[in-house]
Amino acid sequence: GDAMANVWWGNGTYGVNFALGMTPENDDTEAEEANTALNIGFGMPLAGMDFGFTYGMGCDECGGGAVGVNLRRAQSIWLFENILVDFDMGMEGDDAATDPATMGLGVDAYTTTTHDSGINSLFALGFNYNDTGVEGVDSGMGIEWNFAVESEMTDWATLRIGYSHGYDFANGGTDTDDTMTCGDGMDEWCGNQSGGLVVGLGFNYGSFNLDVDVSEGLFTNPVQHVTGYESISPTDATATLTYVW
């Protein structure tokens, strides 16, 4: 729905996130009633790791809510320097047929490297499992990998190129495009990116920061999108403007 608030606070040791979303009633159908959703998150160092917990609730079909746990620590494994484990579980809603319980697990190893001339790179390889809870639909299980390069062209402009790809073993080797969430060094490339090729530009105007990301979907037929014959979805191109006090 519509994000009414998304507030983050941290003091260097503890971090808290609070988000409130509201969806208005749709007069065209009785099935879409007005809903309010609440999401909270908390993170802190714990036993030599970074620990994060999230909980979301709201809407008539969301049941008891959604729970997520993230653990990250420095761990030398083969080519990688860090490991991230994330687990999420969605509670069963009022109607198990339309809103079943879900579960997901991801284990990712990644490393970030700083090179000369203001260049940073990220390489990650991970295992993922997800159960949609839908009867007759097999659970997904496979691997995914991510590669990204970030280059500071000037002191006010940064170029980013990333690629992610996955392979689902459980469903006959179906290709999947998924990404991990690492939050270390290459923040712009580790979260909420669609699969495939992604190109981005970052601009720093003092207190203002502008980030533009363009995905592979827009490259397929750019003329159709530019001329308006095909719409541009949020997964095709996004622009984020941030002001830092």
Side-chain angles (χ1 to χ4, degrees), residues 29-43:
T29 173
E30 296 180 359
E32 297 187 22
E33 299 179 354
N35 293 306
T36 300
L38 177 68
N39 290 273
I40 59 174
F42 174 77

Side-chain angles (χ1 to χ4, degrees), residues 43-52 70-75 83 85:
M44 63 175 289
L46 179 66
M49 300 181 294
D50 292 327
F51 166 81
N70 291 276
L71 297 172
R72 183 184 64 183
R73 62 169 294 173
Q75 183 70 53
I83 187 171
V85 179

Side-chain angles (χ1 to χ4, degrees), residues 102-149:
T102 62
M103 185 181 70
L105 173 67
V107 180
D108 296 278
Y110 69 95
T111 185
T112 56
T113 306
T114 300
H115 307 275
D116 296 334
S117 303
I119 299 176
N120 298 306
S121 65
L122 176 141
F123 178 59
L125 179 67
F127 165 83
N128 64 81
Y129 170 84
N130 65 84
D131 184 1
T132 62
V134 179
E135 185 176 354
V137 178
D138 295 335
S139 301
M141 181 175 62
I143 60 173
E144 59 192 47
W145 63 273
N146 299 263
F147 178 75
V149 175

Side-chain angles (χ1 to χ4, degrees), residues 6 8 17 70 84 144 146 164 177-183 186-198 212-215 233-240:
N6 192 2
W8 299 74
N17 170 234
N70 291 276
L84 170 73
E144 59 192 47
N146 299 263
S164 64
D177 287 323
D178 200 359
T179 55
M180 55 176 278
T181 303
C182 66
M186 300 284 289
D187 294 329
E188 295 297 334
W189 289 106
C190 297
N192 304 320
Q193 296 289 350
S194 58
L197 178 66
V198 182
V212 180
D213 296 322
V214 180
S215 70
S233 68
T235 59
D236 292 327
T238 61
T240 304

Side-chain angles (χ1 to χ4, degrees), residues 58-95:
C59 83
D60 296 335
E61 298 179 356
C62 292
V67 177
V69 176
N70 291 276
L71 297 172
R72 183 184 64 183
R73 62 169 294 173
Q75 183 70 53
S76 180
I77 304 176
W78 190 35
L79 302 174
F80 309 102
E81 300 175 351
N82 306 278
I83 187 171
L84 170 73
V85 179
D86 61 276
F87 173 79
D88 60 85
M89 181 174 60
M91 305 300 181
E92 184 177 296
D94 298 332
D95 188 351

Side-chain angles (χ1 to χ4, degrees), residues 155-228:
D155 57 352
W156 53 270
T158 302
L159 172 66
R160 305 184 181 101
I161 300 177
Y163 184 80
S164 64
H165 194 68
Y167 192 82
D168 190 346
F169 297 108
N171 294 301
T174 304
D175 288 334
T176 61
D177 287 323
D178 200 359
T179 55
M180 55 176 278
T181 303
C182 66
D184 183 21
M186 300 284 289
D187 294 329
E188 295 297 334
W189 289 106
C190 297
N192 304 320
Q193 296 289 350
S194 58
L197 178 66
V198 182
V199 178
L201 283 173
F203 299 96
N204 181 359
Y205 304 101
S207 296
F208 285 97
N209 291 283
L210 174 64
D211 284 284
V212 180
D213 296 322
V214 180
S215 70
E216 188 175 4
L218 196 61
F219 297 140
T220 305
N221 194 343
V223 176
Q224 294 279 11
H225 291 87
V226 172
T227 56

